[in-house]
Amino acid sequence: MLILGIETSCDETAASVVADGRVIRSNVISSQVLVHAEFGGVVPEVASRQHLATVVKVVRQALRDANVKANALDGIAATCGPGLVGPLLVGLELGKSMAYAIGKPIVGVNHLRGHLAAVYLEHPKNPSPPPFPHVALLVSGGNTTLFRVEGPTKTVLLGSTRDDAAGEAFDKVAKLLGLGYPGGIVIDQLAATGDPKAIQFPRALPGREDLDFSFSGLKTAVATRISTAGRPQESAMPDFCASFQAAVVDVLVRKARRALGREGLHHLVVCGGVAANRGLRQALATAAAEDGFSLYVPTPILCTDNAAMIAIAGTWAIEEGERGRPDLSVDPGLPLS
Ligand code: KG4
């Protein structure tokens, strides 16, 4: 089965052809990051216009790279939420038009379902996909959530952030430090040579029995420190970043361990943009070795937004008989049911 995935929920215009729900035949990602960096964050209207200008070229490129003609596709999957309404509409409406033109099914895919599915895509670094059920920690710019994943289309929510998402905390702290947007990757790079024990930042909800997260207190602690002591000098930046990153990573690892214990499961998937963070990957690998659970993290290019993950999640939905109706539309706050 050949499925075209289209992803336009935020600031990446992406298209991908995936064969048989596993093999990536093409994976084209056009990032708008430089356009939004000027504003220090994503501007929804600017994002919509960029998607409009780019999406057809990106889809054409994905078909060319896969060496597939549109009418050879078996279906189209496009992200229908959660995300920014204008950007979502651009991708979904193109997907619907193409599906109508070639007479094949269209399905709307929940972006979060895509992140959870990314680890099942074939990649030399992901040789064996995780069995069901497993626990998944989804950490991105908009989400920090723990799920029990029962099957390809069935998840149970275990815990979520009560305020900022982990990626949002990385981006806001990077902004406070004058490191530009998006800051997660810059903090990751600087932290690599810093001392994570240099500054004791707070760990939110450490003793609580629930599986929720909170990162706003940590962000405030960083802001307070900067307003009293000023921004760290260049030489002190690695220690500052390593200490902040350790505070985020500690809580993520602690809650993921708790979720595995509570659910009695031994397989952990970590996905979403922040799963690309080297400090988090390292800390989880250590926890996996200590506790004896198996860890599955997609390769970094499949952690951040891409359309291959939308194509595989769409393949599963089509295989289960799902078909989008002509009035299929987007939902910016679409929950994962
Ligand atoms: O999954 P993603 O591409 O988009 C959403 O669906 O939100 O995640 C983007 C987020 C941003 O907040 C970005 O700063 C963060 O992931 N991110 C990282 C790293 N790479 C991306 N955060 C920490 N370390 C990284 N290496």
Side-chain angles (χ1 to χ4, degrees), residues 43-183:
V43 183
E45 184 56 30
V46 175
S48 305
R49 288 168 194 274
Q50 283 289 126
H51 285 302
L52 261 182
T54 322
V55 72
V56 171
K57 283 183 234 165
V58 167
V59 166
R60 280 209 169 111
Q61 187 65 45
L63 292 172
R64 252 197 312 270
D65 288 357
N67 199 16
V68 166
K69 295 250 185 295
N71 54 15
L73 294 168
D74 296 295
I76 296 181
T79 308
C80 62
L84 301 171
V85 65
L88 284 167
L89 278 167
V90 174
L92 183 68
E93 291 306 322
L94 175 66
K96 282 165 67 177
S97 314
M98 282 183 70
Y100 180 71
I102 62 175
K104 298 288 169 56
I106 169 86
V107 284
V109 171
N110 186 308
H111 181 78
L112 308 185
R113 182 84 62 209
H115 275 305
L116 295 175
V119 76
Y120 290 88
L121 289 160
E122 190 176 72
H123 192 277
K125 293 216 172 108
N126 301 125
S128 49
F132 296 108
H134 59 254
V135 169
L137 171 66
L138 200 170
V139 266
S140 67
N143 287 273
T144 302
T145 312
L146 277 161
F147 292 105
R148 178 185 172 99
V149 185
E150 297 282 358
T153 55
K154 189 152 186 280
T155 41
V156 179
L157 179 71
L158 300 176
S160 191
T161 184
R162 296 186 178 185
D163 39 56
D164 292 349
E168 201 179 344
F170 268 98
D171 294 339
K172 285 179 177 167
V173 165
K175 202 167 173 181
L176 288 168
L177 290 170
L179 298 174
Y181 171 86

Side-chain angles (χ1 to χ4, degrees), residues 111 115 140-142 167 170-171 182 184-185 188 272-274 276-277 303-305:
H111 181 78
H115 275 305
S140 67
F170 268 98
D171 294 339
I185 192 158
D188 185 358
V274 182
N277 183 270
C303 285
T304 44
D305 287 352

